[in-house]
Amino acid sequence: MSGNQARLNAISHITNSDPKSGTMTEPLSKIWACDVFNLAAMEEALSKKSFKAIKDTVQTGAPLDSATADAVAAAMKDWAMAKGAKFFSHIFYPMTNVTAEKHDGFIITNSDGNAITDFTGSLLIKGEPDGSSFPNGSLRMTNAARGYTAWDPTSPSYVMQTANGATLMIPSVFMSWTGEALDKKIPLLRSNAAMNSAATSVLSLMGEEEIAPLNSSCGAEQEYFLVDENFANARPDLLLAGRTLFGAAPAKGQQFDDHYFGAIPARVQVFMQDFEDKLYRLGIPAKTHHNEVAPGQFEIAPYFEAANVAADHQQLLMTLMKSTAKEHGFLCLLHEKPFAGVNGSGKHVNWSVGNATQGNLLDPGSTPHSNLNFLLFCGAVIRGVHLFGPLLRAVIASAANDHRLGANEAPPAILSVYLGEQLESVFKDIKAGKLLEKAQGGLMDLGLSQILQFERDPGDRNRTSPFAFTGNRFEFRAVGSSQSVSGPLVAMNTMLADSLTWIAGKLETALADGNDKTTAVILVLKELMEEHGSVVFGGDGYSSEWHTEAVARGLKNIPTAADALPVLKDPAVVALFDSTGVLTPEELSSRFNVYAEQYILSIEVEAKLVVDIATTKIYPAALSYISTLVDTAKSLEKMDLPLDKGTLGVAVSNANALMESVAKLTEAIDKHDFASDEEHMSFCAATICPLMLEVREAGDALEGIVADELWPLPKYQEMLFIK
Ligand code: ADP
Ligand code: MG
């Protein structure tokens, strides 16, 4: 078999097979949330009394009594079984970016051997997976590893339909026996509570009489690549690391920009429609989809929802996207940088906070009063990003996202805030004392209403900012495509809670000093801008001038995850999470341990793959090519037609370079005596990653020389362009 047989098979398979035909789509009204046990379904299934009790729990967090839990459990079971479910599962979100579940049957047998079903309130509320194999960052002794899951009634249960059945899925938290958070949901719920309480203090000081519970909202834009599975199966790096560890740049790259917003290829369109129907059934409001910048890259963005529900839906969306892609013969890549030299994938997290009485507090609003509230909340975000920019960098830190951040396609690794021209000038005027003069002159409106209305123009965008105000929300653009949105949401809610508490304190003093509300607000914001205004930046975040200026402004440029993750140990960050009740110091430190371990592991896995692919695929292909050249040279010499040895020389020297680098990398992988995780991470970033690149350079050079028919790995132009 020639070296490229796998590639040839893949190409012929793709050219000869019909794309999976689309299933007949049903009207939206028929499928929307049909597999979700939401409030509407509960209202139908429960008595008036039970429904009122569960609705209170869902909407205001009121505690749940056991009679209601039993009633909800019974109704949920009947509803799910009518849809074919025989099993149920608490679904939870461990500290990795994945989702975990453990399935249990509804069935029990009675003494006559008959199957009956059983599902009580206590089974609904609490489950006990064997938690010992989930990363816990040493929060628990492994032998005392009992973790348990508990139902989160604020995120609706649903039935997951698969080919041969259905399972009732119950969104849950995951905690240790002693109550420590072992997951990504508990901190998110706690961060919402902290934000709610601080925001309520500020709003009461602003004279609001009725204040409904505040919640954060999230709309996440998900970028991804699709690669035909026939190619993916011939690329161990794509299968095991989710990205190509070798691969020369194609002649036609994305420089033509003809893919962005272009027509969606038919086969991809069929996949999207199938996938979106599944989302609709599960009550996930898929809203937009389009081609992205790179060839083979696409985006899907659901409509925004309450952060906790949006986070659960995001996890479900990623799982479904991968499994549906598989049904359509694609490998779905959520990696932040699957192809070198080609645009990477991010996940913009759009975030706002609001409630039923005051509405969205990051929306300027149309009255002078709502404008003041808006300015306070916006100011709180500015202070938060200034004080905790490095934390925001840390919660999006991963080996994969490092390839994307700061690479002139994604926001830089320096956290700054973009406000847009008009809003920035309002905050500048506040800082310069101009608005204070107006306020003291009794000008209640300050002329803000018009300015802030104007600001909503969505055309006013700065794509180079990692953290941008976009009219009625902030968009955190540095989040990676494979990441859970929970970490970023927790960080944003928590820093907002801290800033709102600071604002409440200052506001209280300013009001007690006899200032009217407008003057007090402007006084507080003036002080805030003097201390934190340097984080506001409206220019080109990709430019090298900004990198220099940011440093002069005291903002940190944190290029790698190895530098970013230790921020979780910074005393100011520990105090932030502790004082807001979001994470205890122990819980936070366990997160550092888990993320550091993940970082090290993912780089080690990649490094071993690089060694393996170089040694068992690329080097043999190079030798085959060299030996055909040698044979030809010998024959030609006999005919007195000596072959120019130039190409042979280059092939040999690249093959040698490849194996020399492999030897160095192997030695680096074998080093294990590190004093700390920090030291080990730095070694990965400073030594292992550059050595992987060194091997890759020699490998990619060989790809440019070795005869195409001998090359074993599908090439970039094949994976990116053949549909
Ligand atoms: P763009 O690509 O221009 O940034 P998209 O329309 O693709 O914008 O995505 C914007 C996302 O922001 C969507 O998920 C949308 O629902 C969400 N969004 C809109 N308003 C808010 C808001 N107030 N709070 C949170 N998310 C929001
Ligand atoms: Mg966006």
Side-chain angles (χ1 to χ4, degrees), residues 207-212 355 357-358:
E208 301 284 357
E209 277 161 11
E210 215 191 318
I211 307 169
N355 64 5
T357 41
Q358 277 72 37

Side-chain angles (χ1 to χ4, degrees), residues 80-81 84-89 103-107 159 166-169:
M81 291 193 71
K86 298 186 186 77
F87 280 73
F88 67 93
S89 171
H103 296 199
D104 279 295
F106 287 120
I107 191 170
V159 159
T167 308
L168 168 65
M169 307 300 285

Side-chain angles (χ1 to χ4, degrees), residues 59-320:
Q59 293 184 338
T60 66
L64 193 70
D65 63 90
S66 65
T68 308
D70 278 335
V72 174
M76 197 187 280
K77 183 198 77 178
D78 291 345
W79 171 87
M81 291 193 71
K83 292 190 167 292
K86 298 186 186 77
F87 280 73
F88 67 93
S89 171
H90 279 197
I91 177 163
F92 57 101
Y93 312 91
M95 285 188 251
T96 53
N97 285 317
V98 301
T99 306
E101 37 192 84
K102 175 184 179 246
H103 296 199
D104 279 295
F106 287 120
I107 191 170
I108 51 173
T109 52
N110 65 11
S111 52
D112 304 332
N114 293 323
I116 53 172
T117 58
D118 181 41
F119 189 59
T120 57
S122 61
L123 280 174
L124 163 64
I125 289 176
K126 195 161 126 191
E128 278 180 52
D130 171 23
S132 56
S133 52
F134 295 106
N136 58 58
S138 71
L139 257 182
R140 305 167 300 164
M141 307 290 291
T142 326
N143 55 0
R146 302 256 289 225
Y148 68 91
T149 54
W151 178 38
D152 165 21
T154 60
S155 181
S157 300
Y158 54 94
V159 159
M160 192 69 183
Q161 307 276 1
T162 37
N164 280 323
T167 308
L168 168 65
M169 307 300 285
I170 304 161
S172 300
V173 298
F174 179 44
M175 65 182 104
S176 74
W177 212 243
T178 41
E180 280 130 335
L182 294 173
D183 71 349
K184 292 201 172 241
K185 189 189 260 293
I186 293 173
L188 180 52
L189 294 170
R190 289 183 190 157
S191 73
N192 243 326
M195 183 279 293
N196 173 36
S197 120
T200 305
S201 309
V202 170
L203 291 175
S204 343
L205 285 166
M206 289 300 288
E208 301 284 357
E209 277 161 11
E210 215 191 318
I211 307 169
L214 286 105
N215 203 345
S216 52
S217 296
C218 162
E221 303 161 54
Q222 174 77 55
E223 294 178 335
Y224 61 99
F225 278 86
L226 293 176
V227 171
D228 190 281
E229 65 181 359
N230 292 288
F231 288 135
N233 289 339
R235 297 269 338 195
D237 46 0
L238 275 189
L239 291 180
L240 296 171
R243 73 168 175 122
T244 54
L245 297 166
F246 292 93
K252 179 179 178 350
Q254 77 189 61
Q255 60 271 35
F256 298 98
D257 269 350
D258 50 2
H259 180 73
Y260 195 41
F261 287 129
I264 297 170
R267 186 176 162 208
V268 175
Q269 181 86 41
V270 172
F271 152 75
M272 283 179 172
Q273 282 160 343
D274 190 6
F275 169 49
E276 281 155 2
D277 269 11
K278 290 183 185 171
L279 294 180
Y280 289 146
R281 298 181 72 90
L282 294 167
I284 302 177
K287 175 94 174 120
T288 57
H289 63 223
H290 57 78
N291 289 349
E292 259 304 325
V293 179
Q297 191 187 27
F298 307 92
E299 176 183 303
I300 176 162
Y303 194 67
F304 70 102
E305 301 178 279
N308 177 39
V309 175
D312 289 1
H313 280 172
Q314 241 296 305
Q315 293 300 115
L316 188 50
L317 178 145
M318 290 196 283
T319 309
L320 272 175

